[in-house]
Coordinates of all heavy atoms in Angstrom, one line a residue:
M1 N 56.9 -35.1 -37.6 CA 56.5 -33.8 -38.2 C 56.9 -32.7 -37.3 O 56.9 -32.8 -36.1 CB 55.0 -33.8 -38.6 CG 54.6 -34.8 -39.6 SD 55.3 -34.5 -41.3 CE 54.4 -33.0 -41.8
P2 N 57.1 -31.5 -37.8 CA 57.5 -30.3 -37.0 C 56.4 -29.9 -36.0 O 55.2 -30.3 -36.3 CB 57.7 -29.2 -38.1 CG 57.8 -29.9 -39.3 CD 57.1 -31.2 -39.3
Q3 N 56.8 -29.2 -35.0 CA 55.8 -28.7 -34.1 C 55.3 -27.4 -34.6 O 56.1 -26.6 -35.1 CB 56.4 -28.5 -32.7 CG 56.8 -29.9 -32.1 CD 57.4 -29.7 -30.7 OE1 57.6 -28.6 -30.2 NE2 57.7 -30.8 -30.1
I4 N 54.0 -27.1 -34.4 CA 53.4 -25.9 -34.9 C 52.7 -25.1 -33.8 O 52.0 -25.7 -33.0 CB 52.3 -26.2 -36.0 CG1 53.0 -26.8 -37.2 CG2 51.5 -25.0 -36.4 CD1 52.0 -27.5 -38.2
D5 N 53.0 -23.8 -33.7 CA 52.4 -22.9 -32.8 C 51.4 -22.1 -33.6 O 51.7 -21.1 -34.2 CB 53.4 -22.0 -32.1 CG 52.8 -21.2 -31.0 OD1 51.5 -20.9 -31.1 OD2 53.5 -20.7 -30.1
E6 N 50.1 -22.5 -33.5 CA 49.1 -21.8 -34.4 C 48.9 -20.3 -34.0 O 48.5 -19.5 -34.8 CB 47.8 -22.5 -34.2 CG 47.8 -23.9 -34.8 CD 46.5 -24.6 -34.8 OE1 45.5 -24.1 -34.2 OE2 46.4 -25.8 -35.3
E7 N 49.2 -20.0 -32.8 CA 49.1 -18.6 -32.3 C 50.1 -17.7 -33.1 O 49.8 -16.5 -33.3 CB 49.3 -18.5 -30.8 CG 48.3 -19.2 -30.0 CD 46.9 -18.6 -30.1 OE1 46.8 -17.4 -30.1 OE2 45.9 -19.4 -30.3
K8 N 51.2 -18.2 -33.4 CA 52.3 -17.4 -34.1 C 52.1 -17.4 -35.6 O 52.7 -16.6 -36.3 CB 53.6 -18.0 -33.7 CG 54.0 -17.7 -32.2 CD 55.4 -18.3 -32.0 CE 55.9 -18.1 -30.5 NZ 57.2 -18.6 -30.3
C9 N 51.4 -18.4 -36.1 CA 51.3 -18.5 -37.6 C 50.4 -17.5 -38.2 O 49.3 -17.3 -37.8 CB 50.8 -19.9 -38.0 SG 50.7 -20.2 -39.7
D10 N 50.9 -16.8 -39.3 CA 50.1 -15.8 -39.9 C 49.6 -16.3 -41.3 O 49.0 -15.5 -42.1 CB 50.9 -14.5 -40.1 CG 52.1 -14.6 -41.0 OD1 52.3 -15.7 -41.6 OD2 52.9 -13.7 -41.0
G11 N 49.8 -17.6 -41.6 CA 49.3 -18.2 -42.8 C 50.0 -17.7 -44.1 O 49.4 -17.8 -45.1
C12 N 51.2 -17.3 -44.0 CA 51.9 -16.7 -45.2 C 52.2 -17.8 -46.2 O 52.3 -17.5 -47.4 CB 53.2 -16.1 -44.8 SG 54.5 -17.2 -44.2
G13 N 52.3 -19.0 -45.8 CA 52.5 -20.1 -46.8 C 54.0 -20.4 -47.2 O 54.2 -21.3 -48.0
L14 N 54.9 -19.6 -46.6 CA 56.3 -19.8 -47.0 C 56.8 -21.3 -46.7 O 57.5 -21.9 -47.6 CB 57.2 -18.8 -46.3 CG 57.5 -17.5 -47.0 CD1 58.3 -16.6 -46.1 CD2 58.1 -17.7 -48.3
C15 N 56.5 -21.8 -45.6 CA 56.9 -23.1 -45.2 C 56.4 -24.2 -46.1 O 57.0 -25.1 -46.5 CB 56.5 -23.4 -43.8 SG 54.8 -23.3 -43.5
I16 N 55.2 -23.9 -46.6 CA 54.5 -24.9 -47.5 C 55.3 -24.9 -48.9 O 55.5 -26.0 -49.4 CB 53.1 -24.5 -47.8 CG1 52.3 -24.6 -46.5 CG2 52.4 -25.4 -48.9 CD1 50.9 -24.0 -46.5
S17 N 55.7 -23.8 -49.3 CA 56.4 -23.7 -50.6 C 57.8 -24.3 -50.6 O 58.3 -24.8 -51.6 CB 56.5 -22.2 -51.0 OG 57.4 -21.5 -50.2
V18 N 58.4 -24.5 -49.4 CA 59.8 -25.0 -49.4 C 59.7 -26.5 -49.0 O 60.8 -27.2 -49.0 CB 60.7 -24.3 -48.4 CG1 60.9 -22.8 -48.9 CG2 60.2 -24.3 -47.0
C19 N 58.6 -27.0 -48.6 CA 58.5 -28.4 -48.2 C 58.5 -29.3 -49.4 O 57.4 -29.4 -50.0 CB 57.3 -28.7 -47.3 SG 57.3 -30.4 -46.7
L20 N 59.6 -30.0 -49.7 CA 59.6 -30.9 -50.9 C 58.8 -32.1 -50.8 O 58.5 -32.8 -51.7 CB 61.1 -31.2 -51.2 CG 62.0 -30.0 -51.5 CD1 63.4 -30.5 -51.8 CD2 61.5 -29.2 -52.7
N21 N 58.4 -32.4 -49.5 CA 57.6 -33.6 -49.3 C 56.1 -33.3 -49.3 O 55.3 -34.2 -49.1 CB 58.0 -34.3 -48.0 CG 59.4 -34.8 -48.0 OD1 60.1 -34.6 -48.9 ND2 59.8 -35.5 -46.9
H22 N 55.8 -32.1 -49.5 CA 54.4 -31.6 -49.5 C 53.7 -32.1 -48.2 O 52.6 -32.6 -48.2 CB 53.6 -32.2 -50.7 CG 54.3 -31.9 -52.0 ND1 54.3 -30.7 -52.6 CD2 55.0 -32.7 -52.9 CE1 55.0 -30.7 -53.7 NE2 55.4 -31.9 -53.9
G23 N 54.4 -31.8 -47.1 CA 53.9 -32.2 -45.8 C 53.1 -31.2 -45.0 O 52.7 -31.4 -43.9
L24 N 53.0 -30.0 -45.7 CA 52.3 -28.9 -44.9 C 51.2 -28.3 -45.8 O 51.3 -28.3 -47.0 CB 53.3 -27.8 -44.6 CG 54.5 -28.3 -43.7 CD1 55.6 -27.2 -43.6 CD2 54.0 -28.6 -42.3
T25 N 50.2 -27.8 -45.2 CA 49.1 -27.1 -45.9 C 48.5 -26.0 -45.0 O 48.9 -25.9 -43.9 CB 48.0 -28.2 -46.3 OG1 47.0 -27.6 -47.1 CG2 47.3 -28.8 -45.0
I26 N 47.5 -25.3 -45.5 CA 46.8 -24.3 -44.7 C 45.4 -24.8 -44.4 O 44.7 -25.2 -45.3 CB 46.7 -23.0 -45.5 CG1 48.1 -22.3 -45.7 CG2 45.8 -22.0 -44.8 CD1 48.7 -21.7 -44.4
V27 N 45.0 -24.7 -43.1 CA 43.7 -25.1 -42.7 C 43.2 -23.9 -41.8 O 43.9 -23.6 -40.8 CB 43.6 -26.4 -42.0 CG1 42.2 -26.7 -41.4 CG2 44.1 -27.5 -42.9
N28 N 42.1 -23.3 -42.1 CA 41.6 -22.2 -41.3 C 42.6 -21.1 -41.1 O 42.8 -20.6 -40.0 CB 41.1 -22.7 -39.9 CG 39.9 -23.7 -40.1 OD1 39.1 -23.6 -41.0 ND2 39.8 -24.7 -39.2
E29 N 43.3 -20.8 -42.2 CA 44.3 -19.7 -42.2 C 45.5 -19.9 -41.4 O 46.3 -18.9 -41.2 CB 43.6 -18.4 -41.8 CG 42.4 -18.1 -42.8 CD 41.8 -16.7 -42.4 OE1 42.2 -16.0 -41.5 OE2 40.8 -16.4 -43.1
V30 N 45.8 -21.1 -40.9 CA 47.1 -21.4 -40.3 C 47.6 -22.7 -40.9 O 46.9 -23.5 -41.4 CB 46.9 -21.5 -38.7 CG1 46.6 -20.2 -38.1 CG2 46.0 -22.6 -38.4
V31 N 48.9 -22.9 -40.7 CA 49.6 -24.1 -41.3 C 49.2 -25.3 -40.5 O 48.9 -25.3 -39.3 CB 51.1 -23.9 -41.3 CG1 51.7 -24.0 -39.9 CG2 51.8 -24.9 -42.2
A32 N 49.1 -26.4 -41.2 CA 48.8 -27.7 -40.6 C 49.6 -28.8 -41.3 O 50.0 -28.7 -42.4 CB 47.3 -28.0 -40.7
R33 N 49.8 -29.9 -40.6 CA 50.6 -31.0 -41.1 C 49.6 -31.8 -42.0 O 48.4 -31.9 -41.7 CB 51.1 -31.9 -40.0 CG 52.2 -31.2 -39.2 CD 52.6 -32.1 -38.0 NE 51.6 -32.1 -36.9 CZ 51.7 -31.3 -35.9 NH1 52.8 -30.6 -35.7 NH2 50.8 -31.3 -35.0
V34 N 50.2 -32.4 -43.1 CA 49.4 -33.3 -43.9 C 49.6 -34.7 -43.4 O 50.7 -35.2 -43.3 CB 49.9 -33.2 -45.4 CG1 49.1 -34.2 -46.2 CG2 49.6 -31.8 -45.9
E35 N 48.5 -35.3 -43.0 CA 48.6 -36.7 -42.4 C 49.2 -37.7 -43.4 O 48.8 -37.6 -44.6 CB 47.3 -37.1 -41.9 CG 46.7 -36.3 -40.8 CD 47.6 -36.3 -39.5 OE1 48.2 -37.3 -39.2 OE2 47.7 -35.2 -38.9
G36 N 50.0 -38.6 -42.9 CA 50.5 -39.7 -43.8 C 51.7 -39.3 -44.6 O 52.3 -40.2 -45.3
V37 N 52.2 -38.1 -44.5 CA 53.4 -37.7 -45.2 C 54.6 -37.9 -44.4 O 54.7 -37.6 -43.2 CB 53.3 -36.2 -45.6 CG1 54.6 -35.7 -46.2 CG2 52.2 -36.0 -46.6
D38 N 55.7 -38.4 -45.0 CA 56.9 -38.6 -44.3 C 57.7 -37.3 -44.3 O 58.1 -36.8 -45.4 CB 57.8 -39.7 -45.0 CG 57.2 -41.1 -44.7 OD1 56.6 -41.3 -43.7 OD2 57.4 -42.0 -45.6
C39 N 58.0 -36.9 -43.2 CA 58.9 -35.7 -43.0 C 60.3 -36.1 -42.9 O 60.6 -37.0 -42.1 CB 58.4 -34.9 -41.7 SG 59.5 -33.6 -41.3
D40 N 61.2 -35.5 -43.7 CA 62.6 -35.9 -43.6 C 63.4 -35.1 -42.7 O 64.6 -35.1 -42.6 CB 63.2 -36.0 -45.0 CG 63.2 -34.7 -45.7 OD1 63.0 -33.7 -45.0 OD2 63.4 -34.7 -46.9
W41 N 62.7 -34.2 -41.9 CA 63.4 -33.3 -40.9 C 64.4 -32.4 -41.5 O 65.5 -32.2 -40.9 CB 63.9 -34.3 -39.8 CG 63.7 -33.8 -38.4 CD1 64.7 -33.4 -37.5 CD2 62.4 -33.6 -37.7 NE1 64.1 -33.0 -36.3 CE2 62.7 -33.1 -36.4 CE3 61.1 -33.8 -38.1 CZ2 61.7 -32.8 -35.5 CZ3 60.1 -33.5 -37.2 CH2 60.4 -33.1 -35.9
C42 N 64.2 -31.9 -42.7 CA 65.2 -31.1 -43.3 C 65.2 -29.7 -42.7 O 66.2 -29.0 -42.8 CB 64.8 -30.9 -44.8 SG 63.3 -30.0 -45.1
A43 N 64.2 -29.3 -42.0 CA 64.1 -28.1 -41.2 C 63.9 -26.8 -42.1 O 64.1 -25.7 -41.6 CB 65.2 -27.9 -40.2
Q44 N 63.7 -27.0 -43.4 CA 63.5 -25.8 -44.2 C 62.3 -25.0 -43.8 O 62.4 -23.8 -43.9 CB 63.4 -26.3 -45.7 CG 64.7 -26.8 -46.3 CD 65.8 -25.8 -46.3 OE1 65.6 -24.6 -46.7 NE2 66.9 -26.1 -45.8
C45 N 61.3 -25.6 -43.3 CA 60.1 -24.9 -42.9 C 60.4 -24.0 -41.7 O 60.0 -22.8 -41.7 CB 59.0 -25.9 -42.6 SG 59.5 -27.2 -41.4
E46 N 61.2 -24.5 -40.8 CA 61.6 -23.7 -39.7 C 62.5 -22.5 -40.1 O 62.4 -21.4 -39.6 CB 62.4 -24.6 -38.7 CG 62.9 -23.8 -37.5 CD 63.6 -24.7 -36.4 OE1 63.4 -25.9 -36.5 OE2 64.3 -24.1 -35.6
I47 N 63.4 -22.8 -41.0 CA 64.3 -21.7 -41.5 C 63.6 -20.5 -42.1 O 64.0 -19.4 -41.9 CB 65.4 -22.3 -42.4 CG1 66.3 -23.3 -41.7 CG2 66.2 -21.3 -43.2 CD1 67.1 -24.2 -42.6
V48 N 62.6 -20.8 -42.9 CA 61.9 -19.7 -43.6 C 60.9 -19.0 -42.8 O 60.4 -17.9 -43.2 CB 61.3 -20.2 -45.0 CG1 62.4 -20.8 -45.9 CG2 60.2 -21.2 -44.8
C49 N 60.4 -19.6 -41.7 CA 59.3 -19.0 -41.0 C 59.8 -17.8 -40.2 O 60.6 -17.9 -39.3 CB 58.7 -20.0 -40.0 SG 57.3 -19.3 -39.1
A50 N 59.3 -16.6 -40.5 CA 59.7 -15.4 -39.9 C 59.1 -15.2 -38.5 O 59.6 -14.4 -37.7 CB 59.3 -14.2 -40.7
T51 N 58.0 -15.9 -38.2 CA 57.4 -15.7 -36.9 C 57.7 -16.8 -35.8 O 57.3 -16.7 -34.7 CB 55.8 -15.7 -37.1 OG1 55.4 -17.0 -37.5 CG2 55.4 -14.7 -38.1
G52 N 58.5 -17.8 -36.2 CA 58.9 -18.8 -35.3 C 57.7 -19.7 -35.0 O 57.7 -20.4 -33.9
A53 N 56.8 -19.9 -35.9 CA 55.6 -20.7 -35.6 C 55.8 -22.2 -35.9 O 55.0 -23.0 -35.4 CB 54.4 -20.2 -36.5
I54 N 56.9 -22.5 -36.5 CA 57.1 -23.9 -36.8 C 58.5 -24.3 -36.5 O 59.4 -23.6 -36.8 CB 56.7 -24.2 -38.3 CG1 56.7 -25.7 -38.6 CG2 57.6 -23.5 -39.3 CD1 56.0 -26.1 -39.9
C55 N 58.7 -25.4 -35.9 CA 60.1 -25.8 -35.5 C 60.3 -27.3 -35.5 O 59.3 -28.1 -35.4 CB 60.5 -25.2 -34.1 SG 59.5 -25.9 -32.8
C56 N 61.5 -27.7 -35.7 CA 61.9 -29.1 -35.7 C 62.8 -29.4 -34.6 O 64.0 -29.5 -34.8 CB 62.5 -29.4 -37.1 SG 61.6 -29.0 -38.5
P57 N 62.3 -29.6 -33.4 CA 63.2 -29.8 -32.3 C 63.8 -31.2 -32.4 O 63.2 -32.2 -32.9 CB 62.2 -29.8 -31.1 CG 60.9 -30.1 -31.6 CD 60.9 -29.6 -33.1
F58 N 65.0 -31.3 -31.9 CA 65.7 -32.6 -31.9 C 66.5 -32.7 -30.6 O 66.8 -31.7 -29.9 CB 66.5 -32.9 -33.1 CG 67.7 -31.9 -33.3 CD1 68.9 -32.1 -32.7 CD2 67.4 -30.7 -34.0 CE1 69.9 -31.2 -32.9 CE2 68.5 -29.8 -34.2 CZ 69.7 -30.0 -33.6
E59 N 66.7 -34.0 -30.2 CA 67.4 -34.2 -29.0 C 68.8 -34.8 -29.3 O 69.0 -35.6 -30.2 CB 66.6 -35.3 -28.2 CG 67.1 -35.6 -26.9 CD 66.2 -36.6 -26.2 OE1 65.2 -37.0 -26.7 OE2 66.6 -37.1 -25.1
I60 N 69.8 -34.2 -28.6 CA 71.2 -34.7 -28.8 C 71.5 -35.7 -27.7 O 71.4 -35.4 -26.5 CB 72.2 -33.6 -28.8 CG1 71.9 -32.6 -29.9 CG2 73.6 -34.1 -28.8 CD1 72.8 -31.3 -29.9
V61 N 71.8 -36.9 -28.1 CA 72.1 -38.0 -27.2 C 73.6 -38.3 -27.3 O 74.1 -38.6 -28.3 CB 71.3 -39.3 -27.5 CG1 71.7 -40.4 -26.5 CG2 69.8 -39.0 -27.4
I62 N 74.3 -38.2 -26.2 CA 75.8 -38.5 -26.1 C 76.0 -39.8 -25.5 O 75.6 -40.0 -24.3 CB 76.5 -37.4 -25.4 CG1 76.3 -36.0 -26.1 CG2 78.0 -37.7 -25.3 CD1 76.8 -34.8 -25.3
E63 N 76.6 -40.7 -26.2 CA 76.9 -42.0 -25.7 C 78.3 -42.1 -25.2 O 79.2 -41.6 -25.8 CB 76.7 -43.1 -26.7 CG 75.2 -43.3 -27.1 CD 75.0 -44.6 -27.9 OE1 75.8 -45.5 -27.8 OE2 74.2 -44.5 -28.8
R64 N 78.5 -42.7 -24.1 CA 79.9 -42.9 -23.5 C 80.5 -44.2 -23.9 O 79.8 -45.2 -24.1 CB 79.8 -42.8 -22.0 CG 79.4 -41.4 -21.6 CD 79.4 -41.3 -20.1 NE 78.9 -39.9 -19.7 CZ 79.4 -39.3 -18.7 NH1 80.4 -39.7 -18.0 NH2 78.9 -38.1 -18.4
Ligands
SF4_101 S1 56.1 -19.8 -42.6 FE1 55.5 -19.7 -40.5 S2 53.9 -18.0 -40.4 FE2 54.1 -18.7 -42.6 S3 52.5 -20.3 -42.8 FE3 54.5 -21.4 -42.3 S4 54.4 -21.6 -40.0 FE4 52.8 -20.0 -40.6
SF4_102 S1 61.1 -30.5 -41.9 FE1 61.3 -30.5 -44.2 S2 60.1 -32.3 -44.9 FE2 59.5 -31.8 -42.7 S3 57.7 -30.5 -42.9 FE3 59.5 -29.2 -42.7 S4 60.1 -28.7 -44.8 FE4 58.7 -30.5 -44.9

């Protein structure tokens, strides 16, 4: 699931509306992950977030 910075989240709900897996919700006025939901790492939540509160970091591994 994406990483969330609660300090940056203003609870606008945009990321929730674009998550086709219904993996995000609002708890105490900030976004939270829904336990047990499979995230497909589409990164739509990160793209729509204007405050940079949610991100989908990934690691690039180069094999020789
Ligand atoms: S789009 Fe960003 S600011 Fe809005 S609820 Fe989601 S994480 Fe929070
Ligand atoms: S990366 Fe995609 S599937 Fe995962 S929480 Fe964000 S919008 Fe939902």
Side-chain angles (χ1 to χ4, degrees):
M1 293 295 287
Q3 292 180 359
I4 294 167
D5 184 339
E6 293 184 358
E7 296 294 317
K8 292 182 179 177
C9 178
D10 62 11
C12 72
L14 269 178
C15 58
I16 296 168
S17 66
V18 298
C19 180
L20 299 180
N21 293 8
H22 307 291
L24 301 168
T25 188
I26 293 286
V27 176
N28 296 328
E29 300 183 4
V30 294
V31 73
R33 293 176 282 262
V34 176
E35 296 300 324
V37 170
D38 284 333
C39 170
D40 61 15
W41 223 243
C42 68
Q44 288 302 308
C45 51
E46 177 178 341
I47 291 168
V48 299
C49 182
T51 67
I54 189 164
C55 65
C56 303
F58 60 91
E59 185 176 355
I60 297 174
V61 178
I62 300 174
E63 288 190 36
R64 294 181 183 219

